[in-house]
Protein backbone atom coordinates (compact mmCIF):
# COMPACT_ATOMS: atom_id res chain seq x y z
CA UNK A 1 0.00 0.00 0.00
CA UNK A 2 2.82 2.44 0.82
CA UNK A 3 4.48 1.68 -2.53
CA UNK A 4 1.14 2.35 -4.20
CA UNK A 5 0.89 5.68 -2.38
CA UNK A 6 4.38 6.66 -3.53
CA UNK A 7 3.45 5.84 -7.13
CA UNK A 8 0.18 7.76 -6.74
CA UNK A 9 1.76 11.00 -5.51
CA UNK A 10 4.50 10.77 -8.14
CA UNK A 11 1.80 10.82 -10.81
CA UNK A 12 -0.13 13.69 -9.19
CA UNK A 13 2.88 15.97 -8.77
CA UNK A 14 4.81 14.98 -11.91
CA UNK A 15 4.54 18.41 -13.53
CA UNK A 16 4.76 20.60 -10.43
CA UNK A 17 7.44 23.31 -10.29
CA UNK A 18 6.15 25.31 -7.32
CA UNK A 19 8.09 23.42 -4.65
CA UNK A 20 5.02 21.35 -3.73
CA UNK A 21 6.28 18.52 -5.87
CA UNK A 22 6.81 14.76 -5.54
CA UNK A 23 10.24 15.24 -3.99
CA UNK A 24 8.76 17.50 -1.30
CA UNK A 25 6.30 14.74 -0.43
CA UNK A 26 9.05 12.12 -0.24
CA UNK A 27 11.22 14.34 1.97
CA UNK A 28 8.27 14.91 4.30
CA UNK A 29 7.56 11.18 4.30
CA UNK A 30 11.12 10.30 5.27
CA UNK A 31 11.32 12.97 7.96
CA UNK A 32 7.93 11.94 9.38
CA UNK A 33 9.00 8.30 9.56
CA UNK A 34 12.24 9.27 11.30
CA UNK A 35 10.37 11.39 13.87
CA UNK A 36 7.65 8.76 14.32
CA UNK A 37 10.23 6.11 15.27
CA UNK A 38 11.49 8.33 18.07
CA UNK A 39 7.96 9.15 19.24
CA UNK A 40 6.64 5.56 19.05
CA UNK A 41 3.81 6.74 16.80
CA UNK A 42 1.58 4.52 14.65
CA UNK A 43 3.78 4.09 11.59
CA UNK A 44 1.09 3.22 9.05
CA UNK A 45 -0.96 6.31 9.91
CA UNK A 46 2.12 8.54 9.77
CA UNK A 47 3.21 7.07 6.43
CA UNK A 48 -0.21 7.50 4.83
CA UNK A 49 -0.75 11.02 6.16
CA UNK A 50 2.74 12.15 5.11
CA UNK A 51 2.42 10.76 1.60
CA UNK A 52 -1.11 12.11 1.05
CA UNK A 53 -0.82 15.42 2.93
CA UNK A 54 -0.70 17.62 -0.20
CA UNK A 55 -2.90 15.75 -2.68
CA UNK A 56 -5.95 17.82 -1.64
CA UNK A 57 -4.10 20.97 -0.60
CA UNK A 58 -6.16 24.15 -0.99
CA UNK A 59 -3.41 25.80 -3.07
CA UNK A 60 -3.03 22.82 -5.41
CA UNK A 61 -6.47 21.18 -5.53
CA UNK A 62 -9.07 23.63 -4.18
CA UNK A 63 -11.94 21.60 -5.64
CA UNK A 64 -11.11 18.59 -3.41
CA UNK A 65 -9.74 20.43 -0.37
CA UNK A 66 -12.86 20.18 1.79
CA UNK A 67 -13.80 16.60 0.91
CA UNK A 68 -10.21 15.27 0.79
CA UNK A 69 -11.54 13.25 -2.12
CA UNK A 70 -8.19 12.23 -3.62
CA UNK A 71 -6.80 10.98 -0.31
CA UNK A 72 -10.06 9.22 0.61
CA UNK A 73 -10.41 7.54 -2.77
CA UNK A 74 -6.83 6.31 -2.68
CA UNK A 75 -7.22 4.83 0.81
CA UNK A 76 -10.58 3.21 0.04
CA UNK A 77 -9.14 1.74 -3.14
CA UNK A 78 -6.33 0.21 -1.10
CA UNK A 79 -8.55 -1.36 1.55
CA UNK A 80 -7.92 1.08 4.41
CA UNK A 81 -10.67 0.91 7.02
CA UNK A 82 -12.87 3.91 7.71
CA UNK A 83 -11.44 4.67 11.15
CA UNK A 84 -7.91 5.04 9.77
CA UNK A 85 -9.21 7.08 6.82
CA UNK A 86 -10.86 9.51 9.25
CA UNK A 87 -7.69 9.74 11.34
CA UNK A 88 -5.48 10.39 8.31
CA UNK A 89 -7.87 13.03 6.96
CA UNK A 90 -7.88 14.81 10.32
CA UNK A 91 -4.07 14.90 10.30
CA UNK A 92 -4.10 16.32 6.77
CA UNK A 93 -6.62 18.96 7.85
CA UNK A 94 -4.44 20.01 10.78
CA UNK A 95 -1.03 20.03 9.07
CA UNK A 96 -0.97 23.44 7.36
CA UNK A 97 0.35 26.72 8.71
CA UNK A 98 -2.48 29.22 9.22
CA UNK A 99 -0.90 32.22 10.91
CA UNK A 100 -2.07 32.80 14.47
CA UNK A 101 -4.84 30.26 13.86
CA UNK A 102 -2.42 27.39 13.24
CA UNK A 103 -3.53 24.17 14.92
CA UNK A 104 -1.46 21.95 17.21
CA UNK A 105 -2.38 18.44 16.03
CA UNK A 106 -4.47 16.37 18.40
CA UNK A 107 -2.42 13.17 17.99
CA UNK A 108 1.27 12.30 18.12
CA UNK A 109 0.96 11.03 14.54
CA UNK A 110 -0.33 14.42 13.46
CA UNK A 111 2.49 16.15 15.27
CA UNK A 112 5.06 13.98 13.49
CA UNK A 113 3.63 14.82 10.06
CA UNK A 114 3.19 18.53 10.79
CA UNK A 115 6.77 18.79 12.06
CA UNK A 116 8.10 16.98 8.99
CA UNK A 117 6.15 19.24 6.64
CA UNK A 118 7.37 22.35 8.45
CA UNK A 119 10.98 21.19 8.47
CA UNK A 120 10.88 20.98 4.68
CA UNK A 121 9.77 24.61 4.54
CA UNK A 122 12.88 25.89 6.33
CA UNK A 123 16.63 25.62 5.87
CA UNK A 124 18.40 25.52 2.50
CA UNK A 125 15.58 23.64 0.79
CA UNK A 126 13.08 26.01 2.35
CA UNK A 127 14.92 28.97 0.81
CA UNK A 128 14.79 27.36 -2.63
CA UNK A 129 11.12 26.50 -2.25
CA UNK A 130 10.23 30.03 -1.14
CA UNK A 131 11.58 31.51 -4.34
CA UNK A 132 10.18 28.74 -6.55
CA UNK A 133 6.70 29.29 -5.14
CA UNK A 134 7.06 33.06 -5.19
CA UNK A 135 8.01 32.98 -8.86
CA UNK A 136 5.02 30.83 -9.70
CA UNK A 137 2.74 33.26 -7.86
CA UNK A 138 4.28 36.27 -9.60
CA UNK A 139 5.74 37.72 -6.41
CA UNK A 140 8.64 40.13 -6.33
CA UNK A 141 11.84 38.81 -4.80
CA UNK A 142 12.04 41.84 -2.51
CA UNK A 143 10.68 45.36 -2.31
CA UNK A 144 11.74 47.53 0.65
CA UNK A 145 8.51 49.50 0.35
CA UNK A 146 6.39 46.40 1.00
CA UNK A 147 6.70 45.57 4.68
CA UNK A 148 6.10 42.08 6.06
CA UNK A 149 2.87 41.56 7.96
CA UNK A 150 3.05 39.91 11.36
CA UNK A 151 0.54 38.27 13.69
CA UNK A 152 -1.82 37.42 10.84
CA UNK A 153 -4.97 35.36 11.28
CA UNK A 154 -5.63 32.46 8.91
CA UNK A 155 -7.91 34.65 6.79
CA UNK A 156 -5.40 37.50 6.57
CA UNK A 157 -2.56 35.10 5.81
CA UNK A 158 -4.49 33.52 2.94
CA UNK A 159 -5.52 36.94 1.59
CA UNK A 160 -2.01 38.39 1.77
CA UNK A 161 -1.33 38.50 -1.97
CA UNK A 162 0.83 41.63 -2.14
CA UNK A 163 3.82 40.14 -0.37
CA UNK A 164 7.35 39.30 -1.52
CA UNK A 165 9.46 36.17 -1.27
CA UNK A 166 11.74 37.80 1.31
CA UNK A 167 8.75 38.91 3.36
CA UNK A 168 7.59 35.29 3.41
CA UNK A 169 10.52 34.47 5.69
CA UNK A 170 9.26 36.94 8.29
CA UNK A 171 5.58 36.13 7.78
CA UNK A 172 6.00 32.35 8.10
CA UNK A 173 9.33 30.59 7.75
CA UNK A 174 11.23 32.15 10.67
CA UNK A 175 8.25 31.49 12.96
CA UNK A 176 8.23 27.72 12.47
CA UNK A 177 11.21 26.82 14.67
CA UNK A 178 9.24 27.73 17.77
CA UNK A 179 6.13 25.90 16.53
CA UNK A 180 7.69 22.43 16.32
CA UNK A 181 6.00 19.76 18.42
CA UNK A 182 8.59 17.03 18.89
CA UNK A 183 12.11 17.08 20.31
CA UNK A 184 13.54 15.51 17.15
CA UNK A 185 12.06 18.25 14.97
CA UNK A 186 13.14 21.01 17.35
CA UNK A 187 16.77 19.88 17.07
CA UNK A 188 16.68 19.90 13.27
CA UNK A 189 14.85 23.24 13.21
CA UNK A 190 17.63 25.04 15.11
CA UNK A 191 20.15 24.27 12.39
CA UNK A 192 17.78 25.09 9.54
CA UNK A 193 16.85 28.36 11.22
CA UNK A 194 20.49 29.41 11.33
CA UNK A 195 20.84 28.70 7.59
CA UNK A 196 17.93 31.03 6.83
CA UNK A 197 19.17 33.77 9.14
CA UNK A 198 22.63 33.68 7.55
CA UNK A 199 21.09 33.79 4.09
CA UNK A 200 18.90 36.80 4.92
CA UNK A 201 21.87 38.65 6.40
CA UNK A 202 23.88 38.02 3.22
CA UNK A 203 20.93 38.95 0.99
CA UNK A 204 20.43 42.30 2.69
CA UNK A 205 24.17 43.07 2.64
CA UNK A 206 24.32 42.39 -1.09
CA UNK A 207 21.08 44.33 -1.67
CA UNK A 208 22.64 47.37 -0.02
CA UNK A 209 25.94 46.88 -1.86
CA UNK A 210 27.86 46.21 1.33
CA UNK A 211 29.37 42.95 0.02
Amino acid sequence: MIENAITYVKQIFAADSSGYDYHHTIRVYRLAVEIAKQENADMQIVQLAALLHDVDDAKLSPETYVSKRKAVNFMKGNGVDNEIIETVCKIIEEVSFAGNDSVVPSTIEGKCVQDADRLDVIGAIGIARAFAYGGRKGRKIYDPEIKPLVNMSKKKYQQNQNSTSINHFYEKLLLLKDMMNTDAAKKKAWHRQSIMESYLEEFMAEWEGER
Side-chain angles (χ1 to χ4, degrees):
M1 180 174 59
I2 300 304
E3 290 301 318
N4 289 345
I6 291 172
T7 300
Y8 180 61
V9 296
K10 190 171 187 177
Q11 293 170 346
I12 286 180
F13 299 119
D16 188 272
S17 58
S18 71
Y20 288 88
D21 55 11
Y22 164 73
H23 298 288
H24 160 66
T25 294
I26 294 302
R27 289 192 303 269
V28 170
Y29 167 69
R30 290 172 177 163
L31 282 166
V33 167
E34 178 186 344
I35 296 168
K37 288 178 181 177
Q38 297 183 45
E39 297 293 333
N40 295 315
D42 185 303
M43 192 59 71
Q44 184 185 63
I45 289 174
V46 169
Q47 288 174 310
L48 282 171
L51 287 168
L52 299 172
H53 80 279
D54 269 345
V55 298
D56 296 294
D57 186 271
K59 298 182 292 297
L60 310 173
S61 185
E63 70 279 5
T64 67
Y65 169 68
V66 174
S67 67
K68 305 289 184 288
R69 187 175 71 239
K70 292 177 182 177
V72 170
N73 287 349
F74 171 82
M75 287 187 281
K76 284 185 175 180
N78 282 267
V80 179
D81 66 51
N82 288 335
E83 185 176 351
I84 292 179
I85 289 174
E86 290 178 7
T87 299
V88 170
C89 286
K90 184 173 176 60
I91 290 172
I92 293 171
E93 181 68 27
E94 294 175 337
V95 74
S96 294
F97 176 82
N100 288 342
D101 297 323
S102 296
V103 174
V104 175
S106 52
T107 64
I108 186 57
E109 290 77 21
K111 290 175 180 177
C112 292
V113 176
Q114 186 185 73
D115 281 358
D117 189 42
R118 288 178 171 176
L119 282 171
D120 201 60
V121 176
I122 61 179
I125 287 176
I127 293 169
R129 290 184 64 208
F131 290 108
Y133 186 74
R136 178 167 177 175
K137 297 292 287 185
R139 291 177 177 170
K140 297 178 180 179
I141 292 175
Y142 177 57
D143 185 337
E145 296 184 2
I146 302 175
K147 304 302 180 184
L149 302 178
V150 295
N151 298 320
M152 284 186 281
S153 65
K154 178 179 180 179
K155 184 177 181 180
K156 287 184 177 179
Y157 179 75
Q158 292 175 338
Q159 293 176 343
N160 182 27
Q161 300 300 315
N162 188 37
S163 191
T164 69
S165 292
I166 290 294
N167 282 1
H168 188 59
F169 287 85
Y170 299 97
E171 294 169 347
K172 176 182 178 180
L173 307 189
L174 292 171
L175 307 178
L176 296 179
K177 174 179 69 69
D178 294 329
M179 299 174 73
M180 297 294 169
N181 303 291
T182 64
D183 288 341
K186 289 174 183 177
K187 290 176 183 177
K188 289 181 181 294
W190 275 103
H191 174 72
R192 297 188 184 209
Q193 182 88 351
S194 68
I195 296 296
M196 294 190 298
E197 290 172 348
S198 296
Y199 172 79
L200 289 169
E201 179 184 354
E202 180 66 23
F203 180 95
M204 291 302 177
E206 292 183 14
W207 184 275
E208 299 295 338
E210 296 172 1
R211 287 202 277 267

